[in-house]
Amino acid sequence: MNDRTPEHPADIVARLRATFRSGRTKPLAWRTTQLRRLRELLTTHGAELAEALHADLGKSSTEAFRTEIDFTVREIDHTLEHLDEWLRPESAPVPVHLGADASAWTRYDPLGVVLVIAPWNYPVQLLLTPMLGALAAGNAVVVKPSELAPATSAAVARLLPRYLDTDAVAVVEGAVPETTALLAERFDHIFYTGNGAVGRIVMRAAAEHLTPVALELGGKSPAFVDRDADLSVVADRLARGKFLNAGQTCVAPDYVLTDPETARALEPELVRAVEALFGAEPRQSGEYGRIVNERHFDRLSSLLDSGRTVIGGSGDRTAKYLAPTVLADVDPKAPVMQEEIFGPILPIVTVAGLDEAIDFINDHDKPLALYVFTESDTTRERIAEETSSGGLGLGLPLAHLTVSDLPFGGVGESGMGRYHGRYSIETFSHRKAVLEKPLG
Ligand code: NAD
């Protein structure tokens, strides 16, 4: 609220910790009530959130519901359906020297007060999905939306307190100073989604209090296209995955890796696929998003001459519009290959074949996602076996993150920790070992 002095981070954490210590967040009934209220918020105010997402990122309403609002509702439903079962204590066999009457098991203890720091690209989903996991695990939570999606941040800050237990859930809006002040406090877990540079700042701050962290980071996610693949299907799926949210998706295929002949054949297919999605003038399409701000627009524009333009290659800074772009003949040393693109530019890099593709992938940071388009079992198995990535998509980009029973997270430079479904419970709980030996 603008007419009130914002509560100091130390006071927020103390207030939430007192609630946690009172035991209020622990019963299953409290947890499921919070999840049901969050569901009600999303279904009642979906249109309002979609408008905010449109203001921040030019997201169409269809895309806003599919990738953010309904996505989160599905995660809530899945959690409500299984939470009881996920929280059940699990027994462990007891060694004979403890006697036949001894028993052992593990139980899930909530951690306490959790801090969730979210980025701007999916500002609803990436804030609320970790939050609901932390609540389902019985914690109190402070959420910090991204200042780069201001309309969504304001909407969330306005709506969450109307639906959730305000002594257990707090929203702190703001940028670097506010986040820095929050990070000085002692939390029991910090869940950060964003870039690796800030990931390091978060981890350093967490080390002061020995606070565990999950770092959901990004990086360049390659898409290997084998010469035996049906290029029409590949192009359709690549274009959908790449140009969703104008390429500002952490698991978007960052670049294509293929042999020169397949590259040539793929080019016209990608042109066709882009036009099928957004028409000949993507700028006129209500389904195509905008770049988040001028800084990112300028960064992306500077990458446009990294190769031969197959389609796109232009934009309008004032409108933050950058055409869906495919670049061919891209040198691995070109600027577009030096950093995560995080925008609507798809470079095609050529390699001699599978061996060289595997070497190329392993010569770079471990990606958040790796995509493979092939008809060959051997190729699929070799890539699965010989490379490391947060997730592996065989034939379809992005979709693995919609499977609530799969863990979502990175490895190496793409992050640490995982969440979604039962993996959120694992992340936001301590699995306590218990041994019992009757006294009698
Ligand atoms: P961002 O700029 O919104 O930053 C993320 C959060 O960090 C924000 O809440 C911001 O306020 C905070 N922050 C920024 N600077 C800070 C500082 N100096 N100290 C403390 N906090 C600070 O988002 P971004 O980092 O530009 O997001 C894009 C990156 O996130 C990409 O690399 C993308 O791949 C990655 N990403 C990963 C996932 C995932 O699930 N693994 C999802 C989305 C985005």
Side-chain angles (χ1 to χ4, degrees):
M1 305 270 169
N2 295 334
D3 54 344
R4 278 198 289 151
T5 321
E7 200 180 355
H8 191 278
D11 297 333
I12 298 174
V13 176
R15 188 163 61 77
L16 266 54
R17 194 171 297 289
T19 308
F20 179 75
R21 290 275 295 272
S22 77
R24 178 151 113 209
T25 65
K26 290 186 180 172
L28 186 62
W30 181 88
R31 306 181 194 195
T32 54
T33 302
Q34 299 310 305
L35 263 55
R36 286 202 184 89
R37 291 205 184 132
L38 181 63
R39 193 185 198 287
E40 194 186 332
L41 181 163
L42 290 166
T43 48
T44 312
H45 300 278
E48 213 173 318
L49 290 169
E51 264 171 48
L53 290 164
H54 187 265
D56 287 332
L57 290 149
K59 279 192 202 202
S60 73
S61 172
T62 323
E63 188 175 318
F65 275 93
R66 186 159 56 90
T67 65
E68 304 237 37
I69 300 157
D70 292 347
F71 180 100
T72 312
V73 169
R74 270 208 318 280
E75 179 76 10
I76 293 173
D77 290 346
H78 183 70
T79 307
L80 283 172
E81 195 184 331
H82 297 286
L83 187 56
D84 195 13
E85 156 206 335
W86 292 338
L87 292 171
R88 254 174 237 153
E90 208 174 289
S91 65
V94 174
V96 263
H97 73 265
L98 291 173
D101 58 347
S103 52
W105 65 92
T106 57
R107 52 163 289 144
Y108 289 102
D109 284 351
L111 294 171
V113 183
V114 170
L115 171 62
V116 173
I117 305 175
W120 50 266
N121 61 330
Y122 288 86
V124 170
Q125 187 213 127
L126 296 175
L127 185 81
L128 299 186
T129 309
M131 182 195 80
L132 76 91
L135 292 173
N139 299 284
V141 192
V142 177
V143 291
K144 213 299 286 175
S146 176
E147 71 281 13
L148 299 186
T152 311
S153 175
V156 164
R158 190 173 63 248
L159 293 170
L160 278 189
R162 283 172 53 189
Y163 284 82
L164 301 183
D165 183 341
T166 50
D167 287 326
V169 181
V171 186
V172 175
E173 288 192 85
V176 177
E178 291 80 2
T179 319
T180 307
L182 271 176
L183 286 172
E185 299 303 318
R186 171 191 291 276
F187 288 92
D188 299 287
H189 191 280
I190 301 177
F191 190 99
Y192 171 79
T193 306
N195 67 75
V198 178
R200 285 166 168 81
I201 295 175
V202 169
M203 200 165 171
R204 259 181 234 123
E208 278 304 308
H209 301 289
L210 278 185
T211 296
V213 294
L215 302 178
E216 297 283 340
L217 312 177
K220 291 180 90 62
S221 296
F224 174 69
V225 182
D226 206 355
R227 50 173 58 97
D228 67 3
D230 179 333
L231 296 183
S232 155
V233 176
V234 172
D236 282 331
R237 293 184 185 182
L238 272 176
R240 263 179 203 285
K242 177 71 187 192
F243 300 116
L244 180 77
N245 198 23
Q248 302 163 116
T249 303
C250 57
V251 283
D254 187 272
Y255 62 96
V256 171
L257 210 49
T258 190
D259 64 275
E261 208 180 314
T262 310
R264 287 268 171 224
L266 187 60
E267 287 176 24
E269 291 294 346
L270 282 167
V271 172
R272 183 199 47 76
V274 169
E275 288 179 359
L277 279 177
F278 308 114
E281 260 309 320
R283 190 174 181 162
Q284 311 301 333
S285 163
E287 292 304 315
Y288 187 64
R290 294 297 180 264
I291 305 305
V292 65
N293 57 31
E294 282 83 3
R295 187 170 64 80
H296 279 281
F297 180 90
D298 294 341
R299 179 182 64 78
L300 290 163
S301 298
S302 76
L303 304 177
L304 287 173
D305 47 15
S306 289
R308 173 170 54 82
T309 307
V310 175
I311 187 171
S314 61
D316 173 353
R317 189 176 196 268
T318 325
K320 289 178 280 183
Y321 165 77
L322 191 61
T325 298
V326 176
L327 300 177
D329 308 332
V330 174
D331 188 305
K333 294 198 175 62
V336 78
M337 289 303 293
Q338 304 315 307
E339 55 179 69
E340 178 183 1
I341 299 167
F342 218 55
I345 306 173
L346 183 65
I348 305 178
V349 174
T350 55
V351 283
L354 179 62
D355 288 330
E356 212 177 301
I358 291 176
D359 283 343
F360 191 95
I361 294 162
N362 289 334
D363 284 344
H364 291 79
D365 290 334
K366 292 180 181 176
L368 183 58
L370 172 57
Y371 301 114
V372 182
F373 298 89
T374 182
E375 292 290 351
S376 155
D377 287 342
T378 316
T379 302
R380 275 193 285 267
E381 275 158 28
R382 279 200 57 196
I383 291 198
E385 185 69 24
E386 296 175 35
T387 65
S388 174
S389 56
L392 176 64
L394 303 172
L396 190 59
L398 271 52
H400 60 290
L401 86 84
T402 65
V403 182
S404 295
D405 284 318
L406 282 178
F408 181 70
V411 58
E413 280 287 325
S414 56
M416 60 184 77
R418 59 207 63 77
Y419 74 128
H420 287 179
R422 69 177 316 146
Y423 299 97
S424 293
I425 304 302
E426 298 277 350
T427 288
F428 295 118
S429 306
H430 166 61
R431 203 162 182 180
K432 184 155 75 184
V434 187
L435 176 98
E436 185 175 29
K437 172 84 176 164
L439 295 175

